[in-house]
């Protein structure tokens, strides 16, 4: 199908790196010392201070991504802003003409991480796995699937989804990433079973990003003959800098068009019960932190019990996540959690389970 071409990867992503070479970093002495220590922990060779206040680090394309993500994590924001960075392929020395091309380190990281992610997407190394969501009363049937992003390196190893999300965030590509995953997820579902209910993760920041638009999702629904009622957007609060008004506006718009909306990871470190009344989701997902050993922990039982009770009164469905033990499932089932998800009832898999006889 030629329509299957991904809609979002055509965005132009600048290319600051090609092949092996040296990354030149100009900054103050303290920052350079810290950067050379980080380069050493990565096992990279360096020409210390080739000229005044300049460090040259020998890197290949693969090594640079790891190095940059460490710099991003370890350096102070001011250092990222005041350090200048330039990559020269081979063994070339920077010339005067190169200086105007030197970016701030923070910009350089943004481009490089975006390029890494863009290549991952365009080389089809971004995949979706599907994890079943089942009725607690009927754990053998399938109610829906959650689409989970997975990546593969060129060598075929799995890449942690959090690494992809952090690259997407650094590069300002969260919404592009989310939309690409949605497209892969809907397509995979349609190819496998001609459809079925599907939960799609969405970063709260994507809801205000013009690169994410419900119009894209509507197009997917038309293309793959999927009714909007079969799609549910899950918003997580993990970023805990959530623009509640923006997410709420998005929830209303999505609900008006028939899509479902869910609050993900409720009960995790960052979550906040007020979001239930602020966002009025159709579904809440209890975080696995709350599920874990719930049958043995009175505090967890009371908190989860109250959330389940309040949800029932408000006509909100509850999905308990991360169910791994039969005792957890049993407690959740007998205390009114309608749906469960977790390794006990199904691990994420490349293919959705057969959903022919699902009951909606
Ligand atoms: O934040 P969100 O709920 O979307 O994250 C789901 C993540 O949790 C996925 O990456 C998935 O692989 C993982 N996961 C799913 N079920 C289980 C489970 O039962 N136990 C554990 N430890 N992890 C799970
Ligand atoms: Mn989720």
């Amino acid at each position: 199908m030629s329509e299957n071409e991904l809609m979002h990867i055509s965005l132009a992503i600048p290319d600051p790196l090609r092949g092996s070479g040296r990354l030149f970093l100009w900054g103050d002495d303290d920052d350079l010392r810290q950067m050379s220590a980080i380069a050493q922990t990565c096992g990279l060779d360096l020409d210390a201070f080739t000229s005044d206040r300049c460090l040259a680090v020998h890197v290949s394309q693969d090594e640079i991504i790891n190095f940059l993500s460490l710099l991003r994590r370890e350096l102070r924001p001011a250092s990222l802003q005041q350090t200048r960075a330039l990559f020269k392929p081979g063994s070339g020395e920077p010339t005067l003409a190169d200086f105007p091309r030197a970016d701030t380190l923070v910009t350089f990281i943004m481009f490089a991480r975006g390029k890494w992610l863009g290549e991952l997407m365009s080389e089809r190394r971004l995949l979706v796995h599907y994890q079943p969501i089942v009725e607690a009363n009927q754990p053998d049937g399938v109610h829906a699937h959650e689409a989970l992003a997975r990546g593969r390196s060129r060598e075929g190893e799995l890449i942690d989804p959090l690494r992809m999300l952090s690259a997407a965030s650094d590069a300002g590509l969260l919404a592009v990433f989310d939309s690409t995953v949605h497209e892969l997820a809907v397509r995979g579902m349609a190819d496998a079973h001609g459809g079925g209910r599907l939960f799609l993760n969405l970063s709260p920041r994507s809801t205000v990003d013009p690169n994410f638009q419900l119009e894209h999702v509507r197009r997917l629904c038309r293309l793959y003959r999927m009714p909007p009622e079969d799609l549910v957007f899950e918003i997580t609060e993990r970023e805990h800098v959530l623009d509640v008004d923006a997410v709420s506006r998005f929830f209303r718009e999505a609900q008006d068009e028939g899509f479902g909306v869910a609050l993900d990871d409720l009960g995790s470190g960052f979550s906040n019960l007020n979001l239930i009344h602020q966002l009025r989701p159709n579904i809440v997902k209890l975080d696995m932190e709350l599920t874990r050993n719930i049958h043995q922990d009175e505090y967890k039982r009371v908190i989860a019990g109250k959330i389940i009770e309040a949800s029932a009164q408000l006509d909100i469905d509850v999905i308990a996540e991360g169910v791994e033990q039969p005792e957890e499932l049993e407690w959740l089932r007998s205390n009114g959690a309608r749906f469960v998800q977790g390794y006990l009832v199904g691990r994420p898999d490349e293919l959705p389970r057969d959903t022919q006889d699902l009951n909606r």
Side-chain angles (χ1 to χ4, degrees):
M1 273 194 262
S2 62
E3 307 97 310
N4 273 356
E5 289 310 304
L6 293 179
M7 289 191 282
H8 303 287
I9 56 176
S10 51
L11 285 189
I13 292 166
D15 183 1
L17 326 160
R18 198 170 286 136
S20 299
R22 287 188 298 171
L23 177 65
F24 292 89
L25 296 159
W26 291 270
D28 73 24
D29 286 349
D30 285 344
D31 290 343
L32 290 178
R33 245 190 302 280
Q34 193 184 359
M35 290 187 279
S36 61
I38 294 170
Q40 276 156 355
T41 65
C42 294
L44 300 173
D45 289 333
L46 16 121
D47 308 332
F49 304 82
T50 48
S51 70
D52 253 358
R53 305 214 151 154
C54 179
L55 180 70
V57 185
H58 294 254
V59 277
S60 69
Q61 211 164 348
D62 293 339
E63 292 164 334
I64 200 166
I65 290 303
N66 189 25
F67 179 49
L68 291 177
S69 75
L70 276 174
L71 292 180
R72 175 83 165 82
R73 213 168 59 214
E74 303 290 330
L75 293 182
R76 293 176 303 122
S79 306
L80 290 167
Q81 283 292 351
Q82 74 204 13
T83 302
R84 301 233 145 216
L86 178 73
F87 179 75
K88 290 283 285 183
S91 53
E93 292 287 335
T95 63
L96 265 184
D98 284 326
F99 282 94
R101 293 202 299 119
D103 289 307
T104 65
L105 184 53
V106 72
T107 306
F108 186 87
I109 289 173
M110 187 180 100
F111 283 153
R113 305 262 278 157
K115 179 168 188 292
W116 175 77
L117 189 71
E119 283 176 352
L120 195 137
M121 293 195 271
S122 63
E123 292 169 14
R124 311 287 149 111
R125 289 185 285 110
L126 175 63
L127 331 162
V128 167
H129 283 186
Y130 298 86
Q131 186 175 33
I133 297 172
V134 308
E135 297 244 18
N137 279 323
Q138 229 182 310
D140 295 333
V142 176
H143 169 74
H145 290 87
E146 177 176 356
L148 297 163
R150 297 289 186 259
R152 270 189 204 289
S153 69
R154 290 200 175 110
E155 292 71 39
E157 289 149 18
L158 274 181
I159 297 172
D160 180 355
L162 292 176
R163 260 187 82 198
M164 297 191 290
L165 278 170
S166 115
S169 174
D170 283 354
L173 291 173
L174 267 179
V176 173
F177 180 80
D178 282 346
S179 292
T180 307
V181 173
H182 295 172
E183 179 161 0
L184 292 169
V186 171
R187 183 207 298 175
M189 197 74 196
D191 285 352
H193 295 306
R197 198 164 199 226
L198 188 59
F199 284 61
L200 301 170
N201 287 288
L202 182 66
S203 157
R205 271 188 280 164
S206 295
T207 63
V208 287
D209 187 321
N211 285 315
F212 172 81
Q213 299 210 338
L214 268 183
E215 179 51 31
H216 290 157
V217 186
R218 273 183 231 121
R219 246 170 81 194
L220 288 177
C221 286
R222 287 196 299 273
L223 189 57
Y224 296 103
R225 301 178 198 292
M226 200 178 261
E229 289 72 19
D230 272 1
L231 294 184
V232 180
F233 295 104
E234 293 186 19
I235 294 264
T236 180
E237 228 195 325
R238 288 248 175 84
E239 296 172 37
H240 70 126
V241 274
L242 190 138
D243 180 343
V244 174
D245 291 339
V247 174
S248 177
R249 274 195 304 277
F250 169 76
F251 270 22
R252 298 295 79 76
E253 188 190 348
Q255 282 173 326
D256 284 349
E257 299 204 20
F259 298 104
V261 290
L263 192 53
D264 203 359
D265 303 319
L266 196 69
S268 74
F270 300 118
S271 78
N272 163 3
L273 280 182
N274 281 326
L275 283 175
I276 296 182
H277 83 74
Q278 289 166 326
L279 296 179
R280 312 201 168 206
N282 306 104
I283 296 163
V284 295
K285 298 189 84 176
L286 293 186
D287 192 69
M288 63 181 86
E289 195 179 314
L290 215 46
T291 298
R292 188 65 55 250
N293 295 321
I294 192 163
H295 55 294
Q296 296 172 337
D297 185 325
E298 190 189 351
Y299 283 75
K300 290 184 180 180
R301 285 200 299 270
V302 170
I303 294 166
K306 293 293 175 204
I307 296 177
I308 293 169
E309 191 186 316
S311 301
Q313 284 173 15
L314 297 167
D315 205 19
I316 296 172
D317 274 329
V318 173
I319 302 176
E321 288 191 303
V323 175
E324 292 181 355
Q325 309 173 68
E327 295 85 356
E328 293 165 348
L329 172 62
E330 180 47 30
W331 189 91
L332 290 158
R333 187 196 63 74
S334 56
N335 284 276
R338 180 160 173 214
F339 299 106
V340 294
Q341 181 180 353
Y343 293 167
L344 179 71
V345 291
R347 288 185 175 259
D349 193 7
E350 280 171 47
L351 285 176
R353 269 196 202 160
D354 195 348
T355 49
Q356 296 305 328
D357 46 19
L358 57 83
N359 46 353
R360 292 188 200 154

